Amino acid sequence: MKYEGMIFRPPSEADSLILQVTVGCSYNRCTFCAAYQKKRFRIKRFEEVKEDIDEASPYRIQRVFLADGDALSIPQKGLLEILSYLKLTLKGLERVGIYANAKDILRKDVEELRALKDLGLGILYLGLESGDPEVLKRIKKNATVDQLIRAGRRVKESAILLSVTVILGIGGVEHSQGHAAETGKVLTEMDPDYIGALSLMIVPGTPIAKEIETGHLVLPTPFGLIQELETMITHCQCTRCFFASNHASNYLPLRIQMPEQKEEALEQIREVLKRRDPELLRPEYLRAL
Ligand code: SF4
């Protein structure tokens, strides 16, 4: 497989074949994100992608993840070509996953998304980060709350699984509780199948790192982040969703089937907040991106 630069994938795609169909992110300006800073965006030619698929063809591969940052930005014809060839070549293939941003999704109608689903696109990962309009502007997310909700709903309507990421701490102390409450509400509107909560990790050289250096953004304390988690879950009324805060960046790893385990999880979080015992948190040296 020919990979260009560092490759990122969602934790749940750990066992997938990573097929790099684009290089970098076509937007690349979110203030907290350093993932593709050093890459100039391009869509790989189909011949390059085909060579990688051919190389993987002797192996039994059940899952494929299409990298890099927003591979859904590939025009429909190109995506159909890649998915068709994957289906034809990898006989045991069960699911293809992809990262997308709200604008990529909204450029496609439900019928186009269903056509991708019919060829194997089974899950789409969307970064919401925050449901607070002020925070979205500040982090330069390049999407409004309304666009993010419409994008999430469109994916659900197409019957592709929707996995949404949110970031604890990204509003700083100033927006902490507003960010948590509004994010919970937007998650309710989107009603995704999976929610992954990360905690903001600062990468040197990013615009958000400069905001912190200059004192324009003050990060919540570890218990402040857990308070955000409590508020977010309280406001999240998803109908059927798996909520995970077990990413390595978090202080309190949880795996919650919503709505069944929501109250039990909230009780656990409130107990941690009441006791304020650092021993109950994941140690700093074990936290990572
Ligand atoms: S859209 Fe995603 S990959 Fe691109 S800069 Fe923003 S967070 Fe990073």
Side-chain angles (χ1 to χ4, degrees):
M1 307 297 290
K2 287 172 288 307
Y3 295 121
E4 290 184 30
M6 287 264 286
I7 300 293
F8 297 88
R9 52 135 182 96
S12 52
E13 299 286 343
D15 297 327
S16 305
L17 169 76
I18 310 298
L19 184 67
Q20 192 180 32
V21 294
T22 61
V23 177
C25 164
S26 62
Y27 175 59
N28 217 10
R29 287 199 290 278
C30 297
T31 63
F32 59 91
C33 177
Y36 306 107
Q37 268 182 346
K38 294 197 179 119
K39 291 184 182 182
R40 176 184 286 219
F41 180 74
R42 75 177 179 93
I43 296 172
K44 283 191 171 179
R45 286 179 300 108
F46 178 66
E47 288 66 35
E48 293 177 80
V49 176
K50 186 172 173 291
E51 270 178 33
D52 281 347
I53 299 173
D54 287 339
E55 193 184 323
S57 64
Y59 304 100
R60 183 167 167 74
I61 290 164
Q62 292 174 310
R63 290 190 174 185
V64 169
F65 179 73
L66 302 179
D68 278 343
D70 58 346
L72 200 76
S73 62
I74 297 176
Q76 183 76 355
K77 188 166 165 278
L79 280 171
L80 292 171
E81 195 171 27
I82 293 167
L83 290 168
S84 302
Y85 195 67
L86 278 169
K87 195 172 177 178
L88 182 77
T89 315
L90 305 181
K91 298 299 177 201
L93 186 61
E94 290 170 3
R95 187 178 91 178
V96 180
I98 198 166
Y99 279 135
N101 63 42
K103 288 189 175 158
D104 295 334
I105 296 167
L106 293 176
R107 264 191 286 272
K108 302 196 187 295
D109 60 27
V110 176
E111 289 313 313
E112 286 174 314
L113 290 171
R114 281 197 189 129
L116 299 176
K117 178 174 191 306
D118 290 344
L119 285 174
L121 187 67
I123 186 162
L124 194 146
Y125 298 87
L126 170 66
L128 164 64
E129 333 304 3
S130 176
D132 182 328
E134 281 302 311
V135 176
L136 287 177
K137 256 191 245 161
R138 189 166 180 166
I139 64 173
K140 296 196 168 50
K141 189 61 206 167
N142 197 30
T144 62
V145 166
D146 174 63
Q147 286 170 326
L148 284 155
I149 293 173
R150 282 194 292 119
R153 285 187 175 165
R154 194 168 296 179
V155 175
K156 291 284 305 224
E157 208 183 325
S158 73
I160 296 173
L161 292 172
L162 175 64
S163 179
V164 173
T165 307
V166 298
I167 305 182
L168 302 171
I170 199 148
V173 168
E174 190 187 351
H175 292 282
S176 182
Q177 282 306 294
H179 156 63
E182 293 309 310
T183 304
K185 290 181 201 166
V186 171
L187 288 169
T188 306
E189 296 283 322
M190 289 175 141
D191 205 12
D193 301 281
Y194 301 95
I195 300 169
L198 323 178
S199 293
L200 181 64
M201 300 288 281
I202 301 301
V203 182
T206 51
I208 209 165
K210 290 202 184 79
E211 284 185 60
I212 291 170
E213 277 160 33
T214 54
H216 287 91
L217 184 77
V218 179
L219 291 184
T221 62
F223 286 105
L225 296 176
I226 293 168
Q227 181 59 64
E228 285 190 13
L229 190 62
E230 194 269 347
T231 305
M232 201 178 284
I233 294 173
T234 300
H235 285 83
C236 182
Q237 317 280 350
C238 291
T239 56
R240 187 175 161 73
C241 171
F242 185 73
F243 186 111
S245 71
N246 59 339
H247 185 266
S249 61
N250 290 317
Y251 287 100
L252 187 63
L254 296 172
R255 293 163 60 82
I256 313 162
Q257 189 62 53
M258 303 262 249
E260 297 85 348
Q261 297 170 325
K262 174 174 164 170
E263 288 312 315
E264 190 190 327
L266 282 173
E267 271 174 36
Q268 189 187 340
I269 298 170
R270 286 170 189 152
E271 182 62 24
V272 171
L273 287 169
K274 199 168 94 190
R275 287 171 56 188
R276 300 239 153 205
D277 178 358
E279 292 284 311
L280 298 172
L281 308 184
R282 177 181 268 151
E284 208 61 60
Y285 68 90
L286 286 181
R287 292 178 66 237
L289 274 176

